[in-house]
Amino acid sequence: MSSRTHNCGELNKTHINSSVTLSGWVNSLRTHGKIIFIDIRDRYGKTQIILDKKDLINKGNSLSNEDVISICGKVNARTKDFVNKDISTGEIEVIANELHILSISNPLPVPIHDREASTEEHRLKYRYLELRNKTLQDNLIKRHNAAQVVRNFLSKKDFIEIETPVLMKSTPEGARDYLVPSRIHHGKFYALPQSPQMYKQLFMISGLDKYFQIVKCFRDEDLRSDRQPEFTQIDLEMSFVDEPDVRNLVEDLITTIFKKVNNVTIKKPFPILSYHDSINKYGTEKPDLRYKMELNSFKEFSDQSDFKSFKGLKYVTMLSVDDSSHFSRKIIDELDDYAKSIGAKGLAWMKCNGKNLEGGISKFFNKNLQSKIVSNYKLKNDSICFIIGDNSQLALKVLGLVRTKIAQMLNLCDNTIFKPVWIVDFPLFEWDEDQKRFESVNHPFTAPKDSDMEKLLSSPEEVLSKGYDIVINGYEVAGGSIRIHDDKMQKQIFEIMNITKKEINDKFGFFIDALKFGTPPHGGIAFGFDRLVMLLCGVNNIRDVIAFPKTTSASALMEDAPNTISETQLNDLNITIKKNEEDV
């Protein structure tokens, strides 16, 4: 067998009369009398092969789809009527004079070209076959291209790529760690990194003022469509910067990635929205700005109404949608059920008819009040209002989710449009009612706003942070902050979080010591690289851009992981498995 001279997506009219060798998979076979047409495929494309010699036809008749073959032959022009404009090789075909069968395929347990024809669990079991699908291959190629753009961009900005340890110390913050038992140090464990947070700050202390890494991270948390137990970050950190410096660099990086990978221009500067405004306008800190539909406070009017369910509630919020014709009573009831399923007591509604409101709870609002509502919110004729009330911000968050649901129903989520927004001014702390203590909203290394320093001890719940997220189309693509660079303040933050001095010393002592030796002001950000690629590929499931993803229960179905290990391995680690009562 000769080595291939070209790939299966390369040949065109300039190669006519050339002798070529192609190798790949049989994509399809068609027999027409004394001639066989084969489409041979590799990751570059498809080429039509013609077998018209008796010995080759005999061989061709033994072939099946997904057999691996190699052919030698001459490139020929297709007649005008048989040109295939849908593929790059559609103007030519190859007349074979040699055919080599390299590998015979068993019947496939999953179809390659129709992913919807089998369940996701079955496809993940045979992921190596599903990865022959062109869409998935294109996604992985786009992922590769994005990674190269990132490396080139940051390298030109004087960032250096440095690897950080994978086996590290477990720290009591963030999500649950994946733990690795030590064979040498019995009873002790490493943790897999949730993020290289302390390491990258140590680089700044080391004088390596611009660091980046495309790095694997691990979090043992509940999964969903945009989350995996192991994921990839674009991690970067800079010295002698404040919030605007990081935002400017990140905007340049994002616009460069989208331009070079997708040929999409995104305008700068990106809009900036405070956490408070984002929650109040969209019910979430991850707003999708591809569609408007902002939330509005409705308390002023509900307090004047006769609708007792809203009387005296702290939060009553309203969302209006143009063209109520999309919302039959059946659809409204489905939205009501959805709102209840995520915590609301119910979803109230009214339709606008001229200056009046009708249907739903409209009878509890007199005509004068109805007219004021229409005027105040500039409601369009035949629009519909949805309203939720509660004594907590649950009212905002549930209506924000209803907003997303409605946008999906009305097909407002165009995956070719990208709307980035900065979310800033997060609270530094949030109160954990179960633990009766403050927790970091971001992580405990995030610096407080300079203007809020005086409140740190007296009113920690009022302190804003120097944290920032970049959100695109409702997905948090990146998050970061300006870090604390003073050891006394870092201790103070831990103490506010009710972490004991012993725990501070045991878990973070080495890091606090490092802060004492001349630490520059610094900050950075970490991109969820998988989510970014998901947006670039226009898909809604992170598993479509990862080569070998886990299921939502963190299982790897192909290799059957996690799995049991031998008694010998357990003994080496000095570990015994505690049996459940039902196993005894």
Side-chain angles (χ1 to χ4, degrees), residues 226-380:
D226 66 338
R227 184 184 286 170
Q228 283 276 297
E230 54 178 303
F231 57 96
T232 304
Q233 280 187 186
I234 307 169
D235 202 47
L236 61 93
E237 197 81 3
M238 299 179 284
S239 294
F240 307 110
V241 294
D242 212 336
E243 294 171 77
D245 304 297
V246 179
R247 289 203 299 265
N248 289 338
L249 177 98
V250 168
E251 289 186 10
D252 286 345
L253 175 56
I254 287 174
T255 53
T256 300
I257 291 169
F258 275 86
K259 184 63 180 177
K260 292 199 171 182
V261 176
N262 272 21
N263 196 27
V264 167
T265 301
I266 297 179
K267 291 182 180 179
K268 296 183 297 183
F270 298 169
I272 300 173
L273 197 61
S274 73
Y275 171 83
H276 176 270
D277 287 346
S278 182
I279 293 292
N280 280 278
K281 286 184 176 182
Y282 303 104
T284 177
E285 72 274 21
K286 298 187 284 284
D288 192 336
L289 301 188
R290 286 175 294 178
Y291 44 91
K292 292 182 180 178
M293 290 197 298
E294 292 185 5
L295 277 55
N296 299 277
S297 174
F298 197 69
K299 182 173 172 56
E300 175 190 352
F301 298 102
S302 61
D303 281 350
Q304 299 176 57
S305 75
D306 296 324
F307 191 59
K308 293 181 181 178
S309 296
F310 285 163
K311 286 288 186 180
L313 293 180
K314 189 174 180 181
Y315 295 95
V316 182
T317 188
M318 184 271 286
L319 170 71
S320 67
V321 185
D322 296 343
D323 193 0
S324 64
S325 64
H326 296 288
F327 299 91
S328 64
R329 189 53 194 262
K330 180 176 180 292
I331 296 296
I332 293 171
D333 287 345
E334 288 175 0
L335 288 171
D336 181 47
D337 289 341
Y338 173 68
K340 289 176 180 175
S341 74
I342 52 178
K345 294 179 177 66
L347 180 67
W349 62 277
M350 298 183 284
K351 291 184 179 181
C352 180
N353 183 5
K355 293 185 178 181
N356 298 320
L357 298 170
E358 59 187 27
I361 63 170
S362 62
K363 63 183 178 182
F364 298 103
F365 296 77
N366 62 48
K367 295 296 182 184
N368 183 48
L369 195 53
Q370 289 182 16
S371 180
K372 286 181 180 178
I373 291 169
V374 172
S375 174
N376 186 75
Y377 298 108
K378 297 180 174 59
L379 298 179
K380 292 184 179 180

Side-chain angles (χ1 to χ4, degrees), residues 30-37:
R30 304 179 302 280
T31 301
H32 292 278
K34 295 183 178 180
I35 191 169
I36 294 178
F37 294 90

Side-chain angles (χ1 to χ4, degrees), residues 479-492:
S481 66
I482 301 302
R483 323 301 187 186
I484 296 165
H485 67 280
D486 176 79
D487 66 293
K488 296 179 182 64
M489 179 176 288
Q490 186 64 74
K491 279 185 181 178
Q492 197 173 62

Side-chain angles (χ1 to χ4, degrees), residues 190-245:
Y190 299 103
L192 301 181
Q194 297 183 29
S195 172
Q197 183 60 45
M198 283 186 284
Y199 292 115
K200 63 185 178 183
Q201 291 189 246
L202 292 169
F203 287 145
M204 300 304 104
I205 298 171
S206 302
L208 297 161
D209 67 319
K210 290 185 176 182
Y211 141 90
F212 87 98
Q213 186 181 187
I214 298 179
V215 58
K216 277 283 187 184
C217 300
F218 308 85
R219 291 180 187 172
D220 187 3
E221 57 187 352
D222 295 335
L223 307 183
R224 57 190 185 216
S225 64
D226 66 338
R227 184 184 286 170
Q228 283 276 297
E230 54 178 303
F231 57 96
T232 304
Q233 280 187 186
I234 307 169
D235 202 47
L236 61 93
E237 197 81 3
M238 299 179 284
S239 294
F240 307 110
V241 294
D242 212 336
E243 294 171 77
D245 304 297

Side-chain angles (χ1 to χ4, degrees), residues 384-441:
I384 185 169
C385 303
F386 294 103
I387 310 148
I388 289 179
D390 203 280
N391 276 322
S392 73
Q393 286 193 330
L394 179 71
L396 300 169
K397 293 181 179 180
V398 171
L399 197 56
L401 291 169
V402 170
R403 172 183 181 266
T404 301
K405 188 88 168 174
I406 289 171
Q408 291 167 350
M409 288 168 45
L410 301 180
N411 296 316
L412 302 179
C413 306
D414 186 342
N415 285 342
T416 65
I417 295 173
F418 303 98
K419 293 286 187 180
V421 57
W422 284 106
I423 308 299
V424 300
D425 296 346
F426 288 87
L428 188 63
F429 300 108
E430 60 186 356
W431 180 253
D432 186 324
E433 187 60 37
D434 293 333
Q435 300 290 326
K436 302 296 182 186
R437 69 182 184 91
F438 286 108
E439 289 189 343
S440 293
V441 168

Side-chain angles (χ1 to χ4, degrees), residues 34-194:
K34 295 183 178 180
I35 191 169
I36 294 178
F37 294 90
I38 299 175
D39 282 346
I40 185 174
R41 182 195 80 241
D42 59 16
R43 76 173 174 91
Y44 305 96
K46 293 185 293 189
T47 301
Q48 180 169 279
I49 309 300
I50 293 179
L51 307 181
D52 59 0
K53 298 179 178 61
K54 187 175 180 180
D55 60 326
L56 297 183
I57 291 172
N58 289 337
K59 267 191 177 182
N61 283 327
S62 71
L63 292 173
S64 299
N65 285 355
E66 299 309 304
D67 290 347
V68 183
I69 63 173
S70 177
I71 68 96
C72 299
K74 184 170 285 190
V75 181
N76 188 48
R78 292 199 199 190
T79 59
K80 187 176 180 181
D81 292 341
F82 291 97
V83 168
N84 184 350
K85 295 180 180 179
D86 295 329
I87 59 175
S88 60
T89 60
E91 292 182 302
I92 60 92
E93 57 197 8
V94 177
I95 311 298
N97 50 51
E98 290 182 41
L99 168 63
H100 302 277
I101 301 174
L102 307 179
S103 180
I104 298 294
S105 173
N106 288 343
L108 298 188
V110 291
I112 288 171
H113 305 298
D114 182 7
R115 297 179 66 211
E116 300 303 316
S118 55
T119 65
E120 184 176 44
E121 289 76 12
H122 200 56
R123 287 186 275 117
L124 288 177
K125 182 175 175 62
Y126 296 97
R127 182 66 165 186
Y128 50 89
L129 294 178
E130 190 186 23
L131 285 176
R132 292 182 189 175
N133 178 275
K134 180 171 170 34
T135 299
L136 287 181
Q137 290 190 348
D138 287 347
N139 289 351
L140 293 180
I141 291 167
K142 189 163 282 193
R143 183 185 180 106
H144 162 79
N145 292 339
Q148 300 313 303
V149 171
V150 169
R151 283 195 165 94
N152 291 335
F153 176 91
L154 291 173
S155 296
K156 288 178 181 176
K157 297 282 186 181
D158 294 328
F159 284 78
I160 54 175
E161 185 168 8
I162 316 174
E163 293 179 343
T164 51
V166 174
L167 297 177
M168 59 178 289
K169 187 175 187 176
S170 179
T171 55
E173 42 83 23
R176 191 181 292 109
D177 285 330
Y178 275 101
L179 300 175
V180 181
S182 171
R183 178 183 60 82
I184 297 170
H185 305 283
H186 284 171
K188 294 187 177 182
F189 295 80
Y190 299 103
L192 301 181
Q194 297 183 29

